[in-house]
Amino acid sequence: DRVAHPLRADRSKLYMADLESALHYSLRVEATRASSLSGAQLAAFKCYVATLVKYFPGRPCVQTYLQTLDVWLRNWTEPELPRTVLKEAMKNNRDASHPSVLPTNVTWVGCQGSERHFRGYPCGLWTIFHLLTVQAAQNGPDKELPLEVLSTMRCYVRHFFGCQECAEHFEAMAAKSMDRVASREEAILWLWSHHNEVNARLAGGDTEDPKFPKLQWPPPDLCPQCHKEERGVHAWEEPAVVTFLKAHFSPANIYMDHAE
Ligand code: FAD
């Protein structure tokens, strides 16, 4: 049984199986639904892969996979990229001296829902996005290209995210305030606070897994120091939130349970 019991996963951890499953699904399934990629859609795909190469803290075989795909895409200069050609280029190569492999099985651990139609891929995609904003802040100059990861995500969601309604909501939030983000650290907080906005909107709705109620995250049991009260009203202690997010979305917090 490859599927972890949802209640046994630890909410304070990230699982490589979730990250790789979401990567596999986004690259090989979601982004290749159209018969070919061209124009802004092709640019969005190239941008997504280039950002993953820079900031996704993958296992060596997955890093090699992403690097190989990135080089291949950079060499593709024709205006149109047929899906069949791209799918061929995205196959694994286990024979090479440096294996280039992104597992093709989908196994949810931290993102496992209590029923099949809950959680899974959207949970994995959020996790990748947060991880990328944090890794970009940890590994790049704070004031340079503050929107590098956020705009890559925005393009990905706009062009590929399968839930059309979600993509429209996200684009509306992005259009309202994303361009005011002035540093990589602010980018971490922008994504965190807007994900909480989504959580608040969806709480109690029919897409909510009853075993995983939508919370303002991180809840006090995960991060007591993230919460405070100002004149009797709940408020976030933002510096503590940044510290928490940097530790939560760090390579050291990624566990290999149930990875291939
Ligand atoms: P998710 O919200 O998917 O969160 C995944 C994990 O991230 C959580 O388990 C938690 O560990 C962590 N987390 C939670 N909140 C935060 C936070 N604020 N900051 C950092 N980490 C956090 N569904 C709809 O029905 N309507 C929509 O409009 C919609 N828009 C979406 C837009 C985007 C860009 C994405 C990626 C998904 C969207 N979804 C939408 C799906 C929805 O947000 C959830 O992903 C889905 O319901 C699964 O929820 P979940 O309980 O697994 O937690």
Side-chain angles (χ1 to χ4, degrees), residues 76-102:
W76 185 271
T77 50
E78 286 171 47
E80 200 167 313
L81 173 52
R83 174 177 60 196
T84 48
V85 176
L86 178 57
K87 285 217 158 178
E88 190 61 36
M90 288 200 287
K91 285 191 173 159
N92 288 331
N93 182 359
R94 294 172 192 272
D95 312 325
S97 54
H98 297 291
S100 162
V101 177
L102 174 63

PDB file of all heavy atoms in Angstrom, residues 76-102:
ATOM      1  N   TRP A  76      14.942  24.810 -27.719  1.00  0.00           N
ATOM      2  CA  TRP A  76      13.759  24.750 -28.586  1.00  0.00           C
ATOM      3  C   TRP A  76      13.401  26.186 -28.965  1.00  0.00           C
ATOM      4  O   TRP A  76      12.816  26.927 -28.187  1.00  0.00           O
ATOM      5  CB  TRP A  76      12.574  24.090 -27.867  1.00  0.00           C
ATOM      6  CG  TRP A  76      11.430  23.946 -28.812  1.00  0.00           C
ATOM      7  CD1 TRP A  76      10.448  24.857 -29.050  1.00  0.00           C
ATOM      8  CD2 TRP A  76      11.183  22.852 -29.698  1.00  0.00           C
ATOM      9  NE1 TRP A  76       9.606  24.399 -30.030  1.00  0.00           N
ATOM     10  CE2 TRP A  76      10.017  23.179 -30.451  1.00  0.00           C
ATOM     11  CE3 TRP A  76      11.830  21.628 -29.952  1.00  0.00           C
ATOM     12  CZ2 TRP A  76       9.501  22.316 -31.426  1.00  0.00           C
ATOM     13  CZ3 TRP A  76      11.295  20.782 -30.909  1.00  0.00           C
ATOM     14  CH2 TRP A  76      10.151  21.133 -31.636  1.00  0.00           C
ATOM     15  N   THR A  77      13.741  26.583 -30.195  1.00  0.00           N
ATOM     16  CA  THR A  77      13.550  27.989 -30.566  1.00  0.00           C
ATOM     17  C   THR A  77      12.402  28.166 -31.554  1.00  0.00           C
ATOM     18  O   THR A  77      12.063  29.285 -31.901  1.00  0.00           O
ATOM     19  CB  THR A  77      14.850  28.578 -31.152  1.00  0.00           C
ATOM     20  OG1 THR A  77      15.322  27.689 -32.154  1.00  0.00           O
ATOM     21  CG2 THR A  77      15.909  28.739 -30.071  1.00  0.00           C
ATOM     22  N   GLU A  78      11.788  27.063 -31.988  1.00  0.00           N
ATOM     23  CA  GLU A  78      10.630  27.201 -32.882  1.00  0.00           C
ATOM     24  C   GLU A  78       9.447  27.766 -32.096  1.00  0.00           C
ATOM     25  O   GLU A  78       9.348  27.545 -30.893  1.00  0.00           O
ATOM     26  CB  GLU A  78      10.266  25.840 -33.481  1.00  0.00           C
ATOM     27  CG  GLU A  78      11.254  25.405 -34.548  1.00  0.00           C
ATOM     28  CD  GLU A  78      11.014  23.971 -34.977  1.00  0.00           C
ATOM     29  OE1 GLU A  78       9.841  23.622 -35.234  1.00  0.00           O
ATOM     30  OE2 GLU A  78      11.988  23.216 -35.051  1.00  0.00           O
ATOM     31  N   PRO A  79       8.547  28.492 -32.784  1.00  0.00           N
ATOM     32  CA  PRO A  79       7.444  29.142 -32.068  1.00  0.00           C
ATOM     33  C   PRO A  79       6.447  28.157 -31.451  1.00  0.00           C
ATOM     34  O   PRO A  79       5.773  28.490 -30.487  1.00  0.00           O
ATOM     35  CB  PRO A  79       6.758  29.994 -33.138  1.00  0.00           C
ATOM     36  CG  PRO A  79       7.247  29.478 -34.448  1.00  0.00           C
ATOM     37  CD  PRO A  79       8.577  28.845 -34.215  1.00  0.00           C
ATOM     38  N   GLU A  80       6.377  26.972 -32.017  1.00  0.00           N
ATOM     39  CA  GLU A  80       5.389  26.024 -31.513  1.00  0.00           C
ATOM     40  C   GLU A  80       6.069  24.746 -31.034  1.00  0.00           C
ATOM     41  O   GLU A  80       6.979  24.237 -31.688  1.00  0.00           O
ATOM     42  CB  GLU A  80       4.391  25.696 -32.625  1.00  0.00           C
ATOM     43  CG  GLU A  80       3.100  25.140 -32.090  1.00  0.00           C
ATOM     44  CD  GLU A  80       2.006  25.118 -33.156  1.00  0.00           C
ATOM     45  OE1 GLU A  80       1.841  26.146 -33.855  1.00  0.00           O
ATOM     46  OE2 GLU A  80       1.352  24.082 -33.289  1.00  0.00           O
ATOM     47  N   LEU A  81       5.612  24.260 -29.874  1.00  0.00           N
ATOM     48  CA  LEU A  81       6.164  23.017 -29.331  1.00  0.00           C
ATOM     49  C   LEU A  81       5.029  21.995 -29.208  1.00  0.00           C
ATOM     50  O   LEU A  81       4.179  22.091 -28.318  1.00  0.00           O
ATOM     51  CB  LEU A  81       6.801  23.305 -27.955  1.00  0.00           C
ATOM     52  CG  LEU A  81       7.300  22.123 -27.126  1.00  0.00           C
ATOM     53  CD1 LEU A  81       8.240  21.217 -27.911  1.00  0.00           C
ATOM     54  CD2 LEU A  81       8.006  22.633 -25.862  1.00  0.00           C
ATOM     55  N   PRO A  82       5.014  20.991 -30.113  1.00  0.00           N
ATOM     56  CA  PRO A  82       3.938  19.990 -30.044  1.00  0.00           C
ATOM     57  C   PRO A  82       4.028  19.168 -28.756  1.00  0.00           C
ATOM     58  O   PRO A  82       5.128  18.855 -28.295  1.00  0.00           O
ATOM     59  CB  PRO A  82       4.195  19.092 -31.263  1.00  0.00           C
ATOM     60  CG  PRO A  82       5.113  19.870 -32.140  1.00  0.00           C
ATOM     61  CD  PRO A  82       5.919  20.754 -31.243  1.00  0.00           C
ATOM     62  N   ARG A  83       2.861  18.842 -28.202  1.00  0.00           N
ATOM     63  CA  ARG A  83       2.805  18.072 -26.963  1.00  0.00           C
ATOM     64  C   ARG A  83       3.560  16.742 -27.082  1.00  0.00           C
ATOM     65  O   ARG A  83       4.266  16.338 -26.154  1.00  0.00           O
ATOM     66  CB  ARG A  83       1.336  17.801 -26.623  1.00  0.00           C
ATOM     67  CG  ARG A  83       1.147  16.885 -25.445  1.00  0.00           C
ATOM     68  CD  ARG A  83      -0.305  16.698 -25.111  1.00  0.00           C
ATOM     69  NE  ARG A  83      -1.050  16.112 -26.219  1.00  0.00           N
ATOM     70  CZ  ARG A  83      -2.371  16.113 -26.326  1.00  0.00           C
ATOM     71  NH1 ARG A  83      -3.090  16.683 -25.385  1.00  0.00           N
ATOM     72  NH2 ARG A  83      -2.974  15.569 -27.347  1.00  0.00           N
ATOM     73  N   THR A  84       3.424  16.075 -28.231  1.00  0.00           N
ATOM     74  CA  THR A  84       4.072  14.764 -28.399  1.00  0.00           C
ATOM     75  C   THR A  84       5.591  14.892 -28.264  1.00  0.00           C
ATOM     76  O   THR A  84       6.246  14.042 -27.658  1.00  0.00           O
ATOM     77  CB  THR A  84       3.741  14.163 -29.774  1.00  0.00           C
ATOM     78  OG1 THR A  84       3.958  15.176 -30.764  1.00  0.00           O
ATOM     79  CG2 THR A  84       2.310  13.673 -29.852  1.00  0.00           C
ATOM     80  N   VAL A  85       6.137  15.972 -28.829  1.00  0.00           N
ATOM     81  CA  VAL A  85       7.592  16.193 -28.777  1.00  0.00           C
ATOM     82  C   VAL A  85       8.014  16.491 -27.332  1.00  0.00           C
ATOM     83  O   VAL A  85       9.003  15.953 -26.819  1.00  0.00           O
ATOM     84  CB  VAL A  85       7.992  17.364 -29.716  1.00  0.00           C
ATOM     85  CG1 VAL A  85       9.481  17.666 -29.605  1.00  0.00           C
ATOM     86  CG2 VAL A  85       7.602  17.055 -31.155  1.00  0.00           C
ATOM     87  N   LEU A  86       7.246  17.336 -26.667  1.00  0.00           N
ATOM     88  CA  LEU A  86       7.569  17.706 -25.282  1.00  0.00           C
ATOM     89  C   LEU A  86       7.465  16.491 -24.365  1.00  0.00           C
ATOM     90  O   LEU A  86       8.324  16.268 -23.510  1.00  0.00           O
ATOM     91  CB  LEU A  86       6.630  18.832 -24.813  1.00  0.00           C
ATOM     92  CG  LEU A  86       6.805  19.293 -23.361  1.00  0.00           C
ATOM     93  CD1 LEU A  86       8.232  19.753 -23.074  1.00  0.00           C
ATOM     94  CD2 LEU A  86       5.829  20.429 -23.033  1.00  0.00           C
ATOM     95  N   LYS A  87       6.426  15.695 -24.559  1.00  0.00           N
ATOM     96  CA  LYS A  87       6.250  14.511 -23.704  1.00  0.00           C
ATOM     97  C   LYS A  87       7.439  13.563 -23.845  1.00  0.00           C
ATOM     98  O   LYS A  87       7.901  12.977 -22.864  1.00  0.00           O
ATOM     99  CB  LYS A  87       4.949  13.802 -24.049  1.00  0.00           C
ATOM    100  CG  LYS A  87       3.745  14.557 -23.499  1.00  0.00           C
ATOM    101  CD  LYS A  87       2.683  13.589 -23.022  1.00  0.00           C
ATOM    102  CE  LYS A  87       1.793  14.283 -22.025  1.00  0.00           C
ATOM    103  NZ  LYS A  87       0.707  13.457 -21.537  1.00  0.00           N
ATOM    104  N   GLU A  88       7.924  13.430 -25.066  1.00  0.00           N
ATOM    105  CA  GLU A  88       9.094  12.577 -25.318  1.00  0.00           C
ATOM    106  C   GLU A  88      10.303  13.142 -24.566  1.00  0.00           C
ATOM    107  O   GLU A  88      11.055  12.409 -23.924  1.00  0.00           O
ATOM    108  CB  GLU A  88       9.349  12.531 -26.843  1.00  0.00           C
ATOM    109  CG  GLU A  88      10.362  11.513 -27.306  1.00  0.00           C
ATOM    110  CD  GLU A  88       9.985  10.069 -26.971  1.00  0.00           C
ATOM    111  OE1 GLU A  88       8.775   9.736 -27.017  1.00  0.00           O
ATOM    112  OE2 GLU A  88      10.917   9.290 -26.650  1.00  0.00           O
ATOM    113  N   ALA A  89      10.467  14.475 -24.636  1.00  0.00           N
ATOM    114  CA  ALA A  89      11.607  15.126 -23.973  1.00  0.00           C
ATOM    115  C   ALA A  89      11.501  15.040 -22.448  1.00  0.00           C
ATOM    116  O   ALA A  89      12.498  15.190 -21.747  1.00  0.00           O
ATOM    117  CB  ALA A  89      11.695  16.590 -24.399  1.00  0.00           C
ATOM    118  N   MET A  90      10.292  14.804 -21.929  1.00  0.00           N
ATOM    119  CA  MET A  90      10.111  14.768 -20.475  1.00  0.00           C
ATOM    120  C   MET A  90      10.188  13.359 -19.892  1.00  0.00           C
ATOM    121  O   MET A  90       9.915  13.162 -18.698  1.00  0.00           O
ATOM    122  CB  MET A  90       8.786  15.438 -20.084  1.00  0.00           C
ATOM    123  CG  MET A  90       8.851  16.948 -20.259  1.00  0.00           C
ATOM    124  SD  MET A  90       7.599  17.826 -19.328  1.00  0.00           S
ATOM    125  CE  MET A  90       6.151  17.440 -20.263  1.00  0.00           C
ATOM    126  N   LYS A  91      10.600  12.378 -20.738  1.00  0.00           N
ATOM    127  CA  LYS A  91      10.719  11.011 -20.211  1.00  0.00           C
ATOM    128  C   LYS A  91      11.944  10.900 -19.311  1.00  0.00           C
ATOM    129  O   LYS A  91      12.897  11.666 -19.441  1.00  0.00           O
ATOM    130  CB  LYS A  91      10.813  10.016 -21.367  1.00  0.00           C
ATOM    131  CG  LYS A  91       9.462   9.815 -22.042  1.00  0.00           C
ATOM    132  CD  LYS A  91       9.480   8.661 -23.003  1.00  0.00           C
ATOM    133  CE  LYS A  91       8.062   8.399 -23.507  1.00  0.00           C
ATOM    134  NZ  LYS A  91       8.063   7.653 -24.780  1.00  0.00           N
ATOM    135  N   ASN A  92      11.904   9.930 -18.430  1.00  0.00           N
ATOM    136  CA  ASN A  92      13.048   9.690 -17.550  1.00  0.00           C
ATOM    137  C   ASN A  92      14.177   9.006 -18.302  1.00  0.00           C
ATOM    138  O   ASN A  92      13.951   8.286 -19.267  1.00  0.00           O
ATOM    139  CB  ASN A  92      12.612   8.804 -16.381  1.00  0.00           C
ATOM    140  CG  ASN A  92      11.731   9.553 -15.410  1.00  0.00           C
ATOM    141  OD1 ASN A  92      11.856  10.771 -15.271  1.00  0.00           O
ATOM    142  ND2 ASN A  92      10.841   8.831 -14.745  1.00  0.00           N
ATOM    143  N   ASN A  93      15.403   9.219 -17.835  1.00  0.00           N
ATOM    144  CA  ASN A  93      16.553   8.500 -18.371  1.00  0.00           C
ATOM    145  C   ASN A  93      17.340   7.929 -17.194  1.00  0.00           C
ATOM    146  O   ASN A  93      18.086   8.632 -16.521  1.00  0.00           O
ATOM    147  CB  ASN A  93      17.424   9.443 -19.211  1.00  0.00           C
ATOM    148  CG  ASN A  93      18.602   8.717 -19.825  1.00  0.00           C
ATOM    149  OD1 ASN A  93      18.788   7.510 -19.609  1.00  0.00           O
ATOM    150  ND2 ASN A  93      19.403   9.445 -20.589  1.00  0.00           N
ATOM    151  N   ARG A  94      17.109   6.643 -16.939  1.00  0.00           N
ATOM    152  CA  ARG A  94      17.747   5.996 -15.787  1.00  0.00           C
ATOM    153  C   ARG A  94      19.105   5.414 -16.144  1.00  0.00           C
ATOM    154  O   ARG A  94      19.841   4.978 -15.257  1.00  0.00           O
ATOM    155  CB  ARG A  94      16.861   4.849 -15.271  1.00  0.00           C
ATOM    156  CG  ARG A  94      15.541   5.338 -14.700  1.00  0.00           C
ATOM    157  CD  ARG A  94      14.622   4.167 -14.381  1.00  0.00           C
ATOM    158  NE  ARG A  94      13.278   4.643 -14.098  1.00  0.00           N
ATOM    159  CZ  ARG A  94      12.865   5.016 -12.890  1.00  0.00           C
ATOM    160  NH1 ARG A  94      13.657   4.927 -11.858  1.00  0.00           N
ATOM    161  NH2 ARG A  94      11.641   5.457 -12.716  1.00  0.00           N
ATOM    162  N   ASP A  95      19.444   5.357 -17.450  1.00  0.00           N
ATOM    163  CA  ASP A  95      20.666   4.656 -17.864  1.00  0.00           C
ATOM    164  C   ASP A  95      21.910   5.510 -17.707  1.00  0.00           C
ATOM    165  O   ASP A  95      23.005   5.002 -17.493  1.00  0.00           O
ATOM    166  CB  ASP A  95      20.576   4.221 -19.338  1.00  0.00           C
ATOM    167  CG  ASP A  95      19.251   3.526 -19.612  1.00  0.00           C
ATOM    168  OD1 ASP A  95      18.788   2.829 -18.701  1.00  0.00           O
ATOM    169  OD2 ASP A  95      18.703   3.690 -20.721  1.00  0.00           O
ATOM    170  N   ALA A  96      21.745   6.803 -17.836  1.00  0.00           N
ATOM    171  CA  ALA A  96      22.912   7.682 -17.873  1.00  0.00           C
ATOM    172  C   ALA A  96      23.738   7.558 -16.597  1.00  0.00           C
ATOM    173  O   ALA A  96      23.255   7.074 -15.576  1.00  0.00           O
ATOM    174  CB  ALA A  96      22.434   9.117 -18.048  1.00  0.00           C
ATOM    175  N   SER A  97      24.983   8.024 -16.658  1.00  0.00           N
ATOM    176  CA  SER A  97      25.822   7.985 -15.453  1.00  0.00           C
ATOM    177  C   SER A  97      25.249   8.946 -14.409  1.00  0.00           C
ATOM    178  O   SER A  97      25.427   8.765 -13.216  1.00  0.00           O
ATOM    179  CB  SER A  97      27.264   8.324 -15.796  1.00  0.00           C
ATOM    180  OG  SER A  97      27.306   9.559 -16.470  1.00  0.00           O
ATOM    181  N   HIS A  98      24.573  10.007 -14.883  1.00  0.00           N
ATOM    182  CA  HIS A  98      23.824  10.875 -13.962  1.00  0.00           C
ATOM    183  C   HIS A  98      22.354  10.694 -14.282  1.00  0.00           C
ATOM    184  O   HIS A  98      21.824  11.383 -15.146  1.00  0.00           O
ATOM    185  CB  HIS A  98      24.200  12.344 -14.163  1.00  0.00           C
ATOM    186  CG  HIS A  98      25.627  12.622 -13.859  1.00  0.00           C
ATOM    187  ND1 HIS A  98      26.137  12.568 -12.599  1.00  0.00           N
ATOM    188  CD2 HIS A  98      26.658  12.951 -14.671  1.00  0.00           C
ATOM    189  CE1 HIS A  98      27.427  12.851 -12.631  1.00  0.00           C
ATOM    190  NE2 HIS A  98      27.767  13.083 -13.881  1.00  0.00           N
ATOM    191  N   PRO A  99      21.671   9.761 -13.600  1.00  0.00           N
ATOM    192  CA  PRO A  99      20.272   9.501 -13.953  1.00  0.00           C
ATOM    193  C   PRO A  99      19.421  10.769 -13.857  1.00  0.00           C
ATOM    194  O   PRO A  99      19.635  11.606 -12.978  1.00  0.00           O
ATOM    195  CB  PRO A  99      19.819   8.459 -12.938  1.00  0.00           C
ATOM    196  CG  PRO A  99      20.945   8.205 -12.027  1.00  0.00           C
ATOM    197  CD  PRO A  99      22.145   8.938 -12.499  1.00  0.00           C
ATOM    198  N   SER A 100      18.519  10.879 -14.830  1.00  0.00           N
ATOM    199  CA  SER A 100      17.654  12.046 -14.913  1.00  0.00           C
ATOM    200  C   SER A 100      16.226  11.546 -14.732  1.00  0.00           C
ATOM    201  O   SER A 100      15.614  11.044 -15.667  1.00  0.00           O
ATOM    202  CB  SER A 100      17.890  12.661 -16.301  1.00  0.00           C
ATOM    203  OG  SER A 100      16.856  13.522 -16.651  1.00  0.00           O
ATOM    204  N   VAL A 101      15.739  11.618 -13.494  1.00  0.00           N
ATOM    205  CA  VAL A 101      14.478  10.937 -13.176  1.00  0.00           C
ATOM    206  C   VAL A 101      13.571  11.798 -12.293  1.00  0.00           C
ATOM    207  O   VAL A 101      13.983  12.264 -11.229  1.00  0.00           O
ATOM    208  CB  VAL A 101      14.748   9.597 -12.426  1.00  0.00           C
ATOM    209  CG1 VAL A 101      13.438   8.921 -12.029  1.00  0.00           C
ATOM    210  CG2 VAL A 101      15.598   8.655 -13.279  1.00  0.00           C
ATOM    211  N   LEU A 102      12.338  11.983 -12.761  1.00  0.00           N
ATOM    212  CA  LEU A 102      11.271  12.518 -11.918  1.00  0.00           C
ATOM    213  C   LEU A 102      10.225  11.409 -11.847  1.00  0.00           C
ATOM    214  O   LEU A 102       9.617  11.063 -12.866  1.00  0.00           O
ATOM    215  CB  LEU A 102      10.666  13.783 -12.538  1.00  0.00           C
ATOM    216  CG  LEU A 102       9.430  14.355 -11.820  1.00  0.00           C
ATOM    217  CD1 LEU A 102       9.760  14.812 -10.406  1.00  0.00           C
ATOM    218  CD2 LEU A 102       8.837  15.523 -12.629  1.00  0.00           C
TER     219      LEU A 102
END
